[in-house]
Amino acid sequence: MSREDIETLKNNALTESAATFTKWPAMRLGTVRSRKFAPFDPHSGYEVDTAGEVLENGDVVFRFYAPKAETVTVGLGKYNRRVEIELKKREDGVFEGTFPQDPSFYGFQEVQFYIDGNEALNPHMGVVAGLHRLFNYMELPDPGVPFVLLRDDVPHGSINREVYYSKAVGAWQRCLVYTPPGYQEGGSYPVVYLQDGANGSELTWMYSRKVPYILDNLIAEGKCVPMIAVSSDPMIQKDYEQDAVDNFDGTDQNFQESLIPFIDGRYHTIPDKWHRAIAGFSLGSMQASYMSLVHPELFGNAGILSGYLRRRDTHPRHEDNPYLAQMTEAFMQENYRVFYRCMGDQDGNFPEFLEDDAYVHDLGGDRASCYIRKVYENRIHDINCGRREFYDFAQMLFSN
């Protein structure tokens, strides 16, 4: 691992999550208290890095303090790129094991610890929310995405937490809103709405896929138009449709009646379809496809990122999704400036991506100038591919 990689892993963009901005310090073991009235303190004494230590040679050392446990294992990665490492117990109660450097493991990586066979969070390691639960993660060197880093030579935008009332489900909802550098100085801005995957949340785009830093860097380099970005809960559903994640009545109504009016009323937006985009990852891509094709009057730009045109879980056939049948060259040309489809070629769902290719080709939609397709070589269905996809998509939006 190069010195540049070592320094990159210290960048605050990679240590930041919804829980913290800087990396937590190493846990301290042993006791330095000699007075008998002082309670034993297992977290003082000598330092033990339990956050996943990346060595200079690229190896990763995992540690977990569990003095009463018999076994500790750790899983690194997800889907078809996942390994499990058995940790060995030391005399001080720390379990330790090493994963040799592997270039196929890079960037954002999920980490799962198992204590005596039971999944457990490491309280001294970074934690994020996703899949309706908390899980540990770590960042490994990924030279391909310098654009996600916090730079000291560019202006930075802001992230605002907003609470709005959703008429669709009769409950308060939260969204996160990025405003670009210079927003406070006036002017009006286009908006991109971002939807996460199944059982995800409004946090992922901003804190894991690093949308604020990507946009800061692109705007500073003159590679994209300054824009507002809004991430909202992808799991807004009415009671009657909760038997499947790809039922979108609640999402549809929420966008039309609550979220878009709220953002347009509270922020300096350009409130027309040509200055409004929707993009999503995985389940969010199905929502982006659905919302943009069912409501071309609302969205003139769409990003189907690591995703699907159809609602594939309970509407797997293209004909089960009647809004897709209008994807002719004439319809696409008239209604969209950007319609971007992309996926990694190692994504487990890539065969369905190719099926969507054939469907659009038969309709003629792929001949429209707005239609853009890209395959990301050797990428899987994960945060790292999503970072690259959004970086490319943002540069396509709202320009002449």
Side-chain angles (χ1 to χ4, degrees):
M1 186 170 63
S2 68
R3 182 166 299 278
E4 182 180 359
D5 286 337
I6 295 172
E7 292 304 312
T8 294
L9 293 179
K10 299 177 183 178
N11 189 279
N12 285 120
L14 301 184
T15 62
E16 181 183 25
S17 72
T20 183
F21 182 69
T22 57
K23 182 179 178 180
W24 285 324
M27 185 174 73
R28 301 180 70 83
L29 294 179
T31 179
V32 295
R33 295 177 178 173
S34 58
R35 288 175 288 185
K36 295 182 179 179
F37 60 81
F40 175 73
D41 180 5
H43 301 296
S44 64
Y46 58 94
E47 292 186 355
V48 176
D49 189 340
T50 62
E53 183 180 6
V54 183
L55 305 181
E56 288 191 11
N57 66 358
D59 292 354
V60 183
V61 180
F62 292 99
R63 301 183 183 93
F64 198 109
Y65 180 63
K68 296 183 180 181
E70 296 293 327
T71 64
V72 176
T73 59
V74 60
L76 176 69
K78 65 186 301 185
Y79 299 132
N80 50 337
R81 285 191 188 157
R82 188 178 187 277
V83 295
E84 286 202 0
I85 304 104
E86 182 178 352
L87 309 187
K88 302 297 183 182
K89 193 173 187 178
R90 306 188 328 194
E91 291 184 358
D92 57 6
V94 174
F95 284 78
E96 183 178 76
T98 300
F99 175 61
Q101 193 273 341
D102 184 337
S104 62
F105 287 80
Y106 54 85
F108 183 98
Q109 296 293 328
E110 295 184 13
V111 179
Q112 292 175 303
F113 287 91
Y114 300 90
I115 300 179
D116 295 334
N118 300 299
E119 187 175 354
L121 279 175
N122 184 338
H124 301 281
M125 193 175 201
V127 62
V128 293
L131 298 176
H132 282 184
R133 66 183 182 90
L134 298 175
F135 60 88
N136 291 124
Y137 79 99
M138 68 181 305
E139 293 276 356
L140 299 179
D142 186 0
V145 290
F147 48 81
V148 305
L149 300 178
L150 173 61
R151 292 166 45 183
D152 58 10
D153 61 340
V154 305
H156 300 290
S158 301
I159 301 178
N160 303 314
R161 180 195 66 88
E162 298 285 4
V163 177
Y164 68 98
Y165 191 79
S166 172
K167 298 177 182 178
V169 292
W172 290 98
Q173 298 290 330
R174 181 177 70 169
C175 64
L176 299 181
V177 182
Y178 164 88
T179 55
Y183 174 82
Q184 292 81 4
E185 298 171 11
S188 297
Y189 295 85
V191 184
V192 57
Y193 290 86
L194 301 170
Q195 297 294 100
D196 194 17
N199 298 316
S201 77
E202 65 280 3
L203 298 171
T204 309
W205 278 105
M206 299 297 180
Y207 292 106
S208 296
R209 294 194 188 95
K210 308 299 181 184
V211 161
Y213 299 121
I214 292 173
L215 290 177
D216 285 347
N217 295 333
L218 286 174
I219 292 168
E221 294 172 2
K223 293 182 177 179
C224 84
V225 173
M227 66 187 78
I228 295 168
V230 180
S231 59
S232 64
D233 186 350
M235 302 303 297
I236 294 177
Q237 291 183 303
K238 293 179 174 292
D239 291 341
Y240 64 78
E241 58 177 349
Q242 294 183 5
D243 59 326
V245 295
D246 60 349
N247 290 325
F248 298 149
D249 286 357
T251 296
D252 187 331
Q253 184 181 347
N254 185 65
F255 266 99
Q256 289 191 77
E257 299 182 5
S258 300
L259 183 56
I260 291 175
F262 174 80
I263 295 299
D264 283 346
R266 190 169 180 86
Y267 288 86
H268 303 305
T269 68
I270 306 173
D272 64 55
K273 63 170 287 181
W274 302 117
H275 295 89
R276 189 182 297 127
I278 184 168
F281 183 91
S282 195
L283 174 71
S285 75
M286 299 186 224
Q287 295 175 341
S289 171
Y290 180 91
M291 291 300 301
S292 61
L293 291 168
V294 173
H295 295 290
E297 78 282 2
L298 291 179
F299 298 102
N301 307 272
I304 318 301
L305 313 182
S306 285
Y308 333 91
L309 292 173
R310 51 197 147 146
R311 295 167 291 169
R312 71 178 187 94
D313 289 355
T314 56
H315 307 75
R317 301 179 305 166
H318 289 101
E319 53 265 36
D320 296 331
N321 302 269
Y323 53 90
L324 297 180
Q326 60 191 348
M327 293 184 69
T328 64
E329 179 182 5
F331 176 84
M332 300 294 286
Q333 196 71 37
E334 178 183 355
N335 285 286
Y336 307 102
R337 287 184 177 160
V338 174
F339 197 97
Y340 184 51
R341 291 183 54 238
C342 55
M343 185 177 281
D345 63 358
Q346 299 301 306
D347 193 309
N349 307 299
F350 193 64
E352 295 168 83
F353 182 81
L354 298 179
E355 291 172 2
D356 284 349
D357 278 349
Y359 180 80
V360 177
H361 181 72
D362 288 344
L363 290 172
D366 58 356
R367 294 192 293 271
S369 61
C370 66
Y371 183 87
I372 306 168
R373 173 195 182 274
K374 182 173 180 177
V375 174
Y376 291 80
E377 185 177 353
N378 201 30
R379 305 299 175 191
I380 66 171
H381 196 82
D382 68 355
I383 292 289
N384 300 305
C385 191
R387 289 173 174 176
R388 290 164 166 82
E389 291 170 329
F390 180 75
Y391 174 77
D392 289 339
F393 180 61
Q395 296 178 68
M396 304 172 191
L397 291 176
F398 312 127
S399 64
N400 294 327

